[in-house]
Amino acid sequence: MSQLNFNLIPERKIWTVTQLNARIRELLTAAFSSIWVEGEVSNFKEAQSGHLYFTLKDDSAQVRCVCFRNSAMRLKFRPEDGLKARVRGSISVYEPRGEYQIYVEHIEPVGVGELQLAFEQLKKKLGEEGLFDVARKKPLPMLPGRIGVITSTSGAALRDILRILRRRFPNVRVLIYPVRVQGEGAAAEIAAALKFFTVRNAADVLILARGGGSLEDLWAFNEEKVARAIAASQIPVISAVGHETDFTIADFVADVRASTPSAAAEIVVQTREAFDNHIRQLVQSLGERVQYTILEQRNRLHELFARRAWRRPEEILRQHRQRTDEFSLRLGEALRVRLDRLRKRFIDARARIASFDLRTRLKAMRSRIDQRNVELTRRVERLLVVKRQRFERLVLQLEERSPLRVLERGYAIVYDSAGRVVRAADQVAAGDEVSVRLARGRIIAEIKRRAE
C-alpha cells in the first residue's frame, strides 16, 4: 500500500455568524439589485420615524419588506393589509437577525391605480372625520360684494368666470389669486391662497377653479392639505374643478360644488338674482298691501258717510262748540278759586315772617347757651373735687392696710418651697428650705428643727 498524502486534505474555513450574514448580504444585493415582486400586503405597520414595515405573501410563502421614509414620502397612498401590490426594490439581509428582506423603493397597487387608491383612502379618512358633513357647510352670501377666485391666470377657467360675472354682475369686485393648478407645489400654493383670504377676510365668497383633465392633472385638488385648508376657511368656498363628471376631494369638502368654472360663476350670479327677485317680491307684496289698505280705508270712509251723524254735521259742530264753552268757563272759575286760595296763603305767610324777629331770638338763644355752659362748668368742677377727695381717702386706707407697713415694723412672711405662705410650724419639717420676705429684700433659710 502506498502511503497517504495528508497534504491533499483541504483546509477548513471557519465563518463567524456575522461574516456569514455579511457575505450572504453581498451576494443577494449583487444578484437582486432591482426586482419587482407581487403579493398581498399583511402585518402593515408605520413607525414614528415614517418607515413602513410589512410582509408580502402569496399562497405558500412570504417575505419581509421595509420602505424607508424618503421612499414612503413619495407614495400617493398608504399600503394596508389585504392590498395586492407590486413592489420594486433590492434584496438584502438584516444582519442582526439573519433575515433577508426587500428594501422597497416603489409600490404599485394591483387592479386599481395608485392615484385612485389614494383618492379612496383620503376620501374615507376625511369622511370619518366629518369634513363632508352637510351641517358644517356654510351658506353662500345673498349679495356678495367681493368674489375671490383661486386659479391659474393662463387657463380658460378664469376667462369663463370673468365673462359671466362682467355680463350679469358688472359692479362686483373680483379678487384673483394666481396659483398653479397642477404639478409639484400646486397643492401648497392653493392652500396658501385659501389661508390668505381667510386671514385677511378679503372676500365674501371664494371660487376654487380649474378646467378639466386626467386624474393626474387634477391631483392637486385631491391633496389632504388642500382639503383641510378648505375646511378651515371662514369664507364660503365653491369648488369648480374639472368637468361635470370629474370629482375631487375638494368638491366633497367645499360648501358648494359646481360642475364647471362657468357654473360656479352662474351660482354666484344666482345668489344676486335671488336677492333681486326677493326685492321685487317685497316691492310687489308692499304694493298689494298698500292697495288693500287704501281700499279698506275707502270702504270705511263710505260707511262713516253713510251713518246718520254725517247727515247733520252743523248740529254736531254747534253742540261741540257749546260743550267747549262750558268746559272753558268751568276751567276759568276753578283757576280763579285756586289762585285766590294761593294768594291768601302767601299773604298769611308773609305776615308771619314779618312778625318774627330773628335777631332777638338768636340773642336769647345765645344767652341761654352761655348760662348753660357756666352751670355745666361749675358742676364738673364740683364733681372733680368730690372724686379727688374720695381717691385720696382710698389711697390712705390702702397704705395703712398694706402688708408692707407690717413688714416695716419688723415682721416677716415665710414661704415654703412651693411658694405657699407658712402659717403654722407643722407646715414644714427639719431640712426644708424656706423663703423669708422682709420689708427690704428676701432671704433663704433651712429649717433645723421645730420648737414646740
Side-chain angles (χ1 to χ4, degrees), residues 237-396:
V237 178
I238 301 175
S239 176
V241 179
H243 299 303
E244 187 172 357
T245 57
D246 297 324
F247 281 90
T248 64
I249 297 296
D251 294 332
F252 296 109
V253 183
D255 300 293
V256 175
R257 187 251 176 184
S259 57
T260 63
S262 299
E266 293 286 351
I267 291 174
V268 175
V269 172
Q270 287 174 7
T271 61
R272 169 60 185 268
E273 291 178 348
F275 177 78
D276 294 338
N277 291 334
H278 182 62
I279 296 297
R280 284 193 293 270
Q281 291 175 1
L282 290 177
V283 171
Q284 182 179 357
S285 177
L286 181 62
E288 293 175 354
R289 183 63 182 173
V290 170
Q291 291 179 359
Y292 175 78
T293 303
I294 293 174
L295 181 61
E296 186 181 31
Q297 296 298 326
R298 183 183 293 122
N299 293 335
R300 185 178 179 187
L301 183 61
H302 290 325
E303 292 176 358
L304 290 175
F305 281 136
R307 293 181 181 178
R308 183 180 179 184
W310 288 100
R311 299 175 184 175
R312 47 190 183 88
E314 290 295 332
E315 181 181 352
I316 295 175
L317 288 175
R318 285 195 296 267
Q319 291 180 2
H320 280 292
R321 290 194 192 101
Q322 184 176 354
R323 291 180 61 184
T324 302
D325 292 339
E326 291 177 356
F327 286 142
S328 299
L329 292 174
R330 290 168 59 184
L331 180 61
E333 183 64 24
L335 289 174
R336 281 194 295 272
V337 171
R338 183 169 179 77
L339 185 60
D340 291 341
R341 187 181 300 115
L342 291 175
R343 186 181 293 110
K344 185 176 181 305
R345 288 178 61 185
F346 173 75
I347 293 173
D348 294 343
R350 187 172 60 182
R352 286 196 301 271
I353 292 173
S355 62
F356 183 76
D357 190 352
L358 185 60
R359 293 182 179 179
T360 303
R361 295 290 297 276
L362 289 175
K363 184 177 181 180
M365 290 177 65
R366 188 178 294 109
S367 177
R368 286 198 299 271
I369 291 173
D370 293 341
Q371 184 178 358
R372 292 288 180 84
N373 189 22
V374 172
E375 293 177 357
L376 183 60
T377 302
R378 291 175 180 174
R379 291 179 62 183
V380 170
E381 290 177 351
R382 286 197 298 269
L383 180 61
L384 288 175
V385 170
V386 172
K387 295 293 184 180
R388 187 180 295 108
Q389 291 175 352
R390 184 181 177 187
F391 175 74
E392 292 174 353
R393 288 197 301 270
L394 292 175
V395 170
L396 182 61

Side-chain angles (χ1 to χ4, degrees), residues 90-102:
S90 60
I91 295 180
S92 185
V93 173
Y94 182 57
E95 296 183 29
R97 287 202 299 263
E99 296 177 349
Y100 91 91
Q101 55 191 11
I102 303 175

Side-chain angles (χ1 to χ4, degrees), residues 36-39 56 84-88 104 106-111:
W36 285 89
V37 181
E38 180 176 315
L56 204 62
K84 192 171 184 180
R86 296 189 185 99
V87 302
R88 178 177 56 82
V104 177
H106 180 67
I107 306 175
E108 290 182 359
V110 176

Side-chain angles (χ1 to χ4, degrees), residues 149-160 162 175-181 189 209-211:
V149 180
I150 303 173
T151 188
S152 171
T153 55
S154 60
L158 179 60
R159 293 193 295 272
D160 293 341
L162 294 178
L175 305 175
I176 302 171
Y177 194 113
V179 296
R180 286 180 290 173
V181 292
E189 291 185 10
R210 188 205 188 283

